[in-house]
Amino acid sequence: MQTILGTNGQIAIELAKELKKKYTSNIRLVSRNPKKVNDTDTLFSANLLDKQKTEEAVKGSEIAYLTVGLPMNTKMWVDQFPIMMRNVIDACKKHHTKLVFFDNTYMYAQNETPLTEESEFAPVGQKGKVRAEITTMLLDEMVANNLEAVICRAPEFYGPGKTQSITNAIIFNNIKQGKKLKVFISDATLRTLIWTPDASKAMALIGNTPNTYNQTWHLPCDDSRLTYKQFIALTSNVYGKSFTYSVVPKFAFKIGGVFKTQMKELQELLPRYKSDNIFVSTKFKNRFPDFAVTTYQEGIEQIKNEQ
């Protein structure tokens, strides 16, 4: 059996589909209110903050995928992520279950230096620090050979369905709602975005390839990186409609942060929009050369067709 811990987001949904398609029909979905993705899925209701329920959720699993997400709320991240990670690690150790952790890039420096699996952690802000903390917690267990685990790291998402990301929010959701598009800080810096189904498919592949464990993997992205200006131009071409946009400057977040919690929560992420974001996934592409990475053109076309 393979178990997904935290199953209501788009990453987990696509992961469940891919596991069923290529690897197993014996899938357990775990969250507070889990819902079936495949007809054969088994549902298990659990709060990963509860140590005993987490152990019960993992029991009997060959592989557990930790894909849980939390709202953009610093206090919640600081209070809850370390507890969940510790509970999941302990449960996997107890039941001799392999752990696949879906990670983000918040612990990295927010500058133009290309990011590889060997890049040092240099977090900016509390969210970055807590992500560094929980990743280091798992790395320490891996180095000590206390469990078989693998870290699958992805940059910012864009994608179909319930994909929650800044790019989806400021571009595709605004298109759907007929609103003017927005770009944070700069439209002239290169972005590396990952197509959510690609992230899930790559994670399933890594999880089901034995010699990938006890390593960190950057999940595969289209290396034809675009600035937001170019990305919106491509989107306009795909939709057959010229979209206009405005660039939201940094000072607007400081002013807005006084009144809007969401803008305040985004402030520590802003440096990544000031510089080129070069997320390197060469290691994965060399190891799995037949993996078909979705191009930005193909991804935007799929979003358009879905809308």
Side-chain angles (χ1 to χ4, degrees):
M1 179 169 59
Q2 299 195 22
T3 295
I4 304 175
L5 305 169
T7 59
N8 292 330
Q10 192 65 29
I11 291 292
I13 291 170
E14 298 289 349
L15 175 60
K17 292 178 183 177
E18 184 71 6
L19 291 177
K20 166 70 172 177
K21 181 180 178 181
K22 292 187 177 179
Y23 304 103
T24 181
S25 295
N26 193 4
I27 301 169
R28 177 188 289 162
L29 303 182
V30 180
S31 67
R32 294 187 185 189
N33 298 292
K35 298 177 182 178
K36 284 190 175 184
V37 176
N38 310 296
D39 291 341
T40 54
D41 293 339
T42 300
L43 304 183
F44 189 93
S45 179
N47 183 344
L48 298 181
L49 294 171
D50 185 318
K51 183 177 180 64
Q52 182 176 345
K53 292 296 287 186
T54 303
E55 289 184 357
E56 293 174 10
V58 170
K59 186 178 181 179
S61 305
E62 176 190 359
I63 304 172
Y65 301 84
L66 180 56
T67 62
V68 68
L70 290 174
M72 192 64 73
N73 180 302
T74 297
K75 187 177 188 307
M76 189 177 290
W77 283 39
V78 171
D79 291 346
Q80 297 186 15
F81 267 137
I83 295 173
M84 287 190 287
M85 177 58 86
R86 176 45 58 193
N87 288 344
V88 170
I89 288 173
D90 290 347
C92 288
K93 288 165 65 175
K94 179 176 181 177
H95 297 298
H96 305 288
T97 299
K98 295 178 181 178
L99 176 58
V100 179
F101 175 44
F102 182 69
D103 200 9
N104 67 23
T105 60
Y106 284 21
M107 75 291 296
Y108 285 146
Q110 296 186 30
N111 55 37
E112 70 283 350
T113 304
L115 301 172
T116 72
E117 289 86 351
E118 286 72 42
S119 294
E120 293 183 358
F121 293 175
V124 176
Q126 287 184 283
K127 294 184 194 67
K129 288 178 181 177
V130 76
R131 294 300 302 196
E133 177 187 348
I134 64 174
T135 303
T136 300
M137 190 186 302
L138 179 56
L139 285 169
D140 289 344
E141 297 282 352
M142 291 161 60
V143 170
N145 292 317
N146 291 332
L147 80 166
E148 267 195 279
V150 63
I151 296 170
C152 297
R153 186 165 293 136
E156 185 185 328
F157 312 146
Y158 81 111
K162 299 194 297 182
T163 297
Q164 294 187 13
S165 73
I166 290 175
T167 296
N168 269 55
I170 63 180
I171 294 180
F172 297 111
N173 291 358
N174 282 345
I175 289 175
K176 188 174 182 179
Q177 297 166 13
K179 297 180 180 178
K180 187 175 183 179
L181 313 192
K182 291 183 172 60
V183 171
F184 291 165
I185 309 302
S186 173
D187 65 352
T189 54
L190 295 173
R191 318 306 313 147
T192 305
L193 305 176
I194 192 165
W195 179 246
T196 44
D198 283 0
S200 299
K201 291 175 182 177
M203 182 161 49
L205 177 57
I206 290 170
N208 286 277
T209 304
N211 62 6
T212 60
Y213 280 78
N214 297 323
Q215 302 176 56
T216 296
W217 295 85
H218 277 189
L219 299 179
C221 305
D222 183 358
D223 288 336
S224 300
R225 300 173 183 86
L226 303 174
T227 65
Y228 268 129
K229 181 177 182 178
Q230 293 168 329
F231 190 87
I232 292 172
L234 178 58
T235 301
S236 296
N237 184 60
V238 170
Y239 277 74
K241 180 180 179 181
S242 180
F243 294 113
T244 59
Y245 64 93
S246 59
V247 177
V248 183
K250 186 175 181 179
F251 75 82
F253 286 85
K254 291 184 177 180
I255 297 172
V258 176
F259 305 101
K260 295 183 179 180
T261 301
Q262 188 176 32
M263 293 190 77
K264 182 178 180 181
E265 292 287 349
L266 286 170
Q267 285 189 47
E268 70 183 69
L269 305 180
L270 297 181
R272 70 174 55 203
Y273 295 95
K274 185 179 180 180
S275 304
D276 290 343
N277 176 239
I278 310 298
F279 180 87
V280 180
S281 49
T282 303
K283 176 181 174 180
F284 178 94
K285 291 167 184 171
N286 288 341
R287 176 63 180 81
F288 301 103
D290 295 331
F291 188 96
V293 178
T294 302
T295 66
Y296 291 117
Q297 172 94 22
E298 292 167 339
I300 294 168
E301 286 174 351
Q302 289 189 48
I303 294 173
K304 175 183 179 291
N305 292 336
E306 183 181 73
Q307 288 186 344

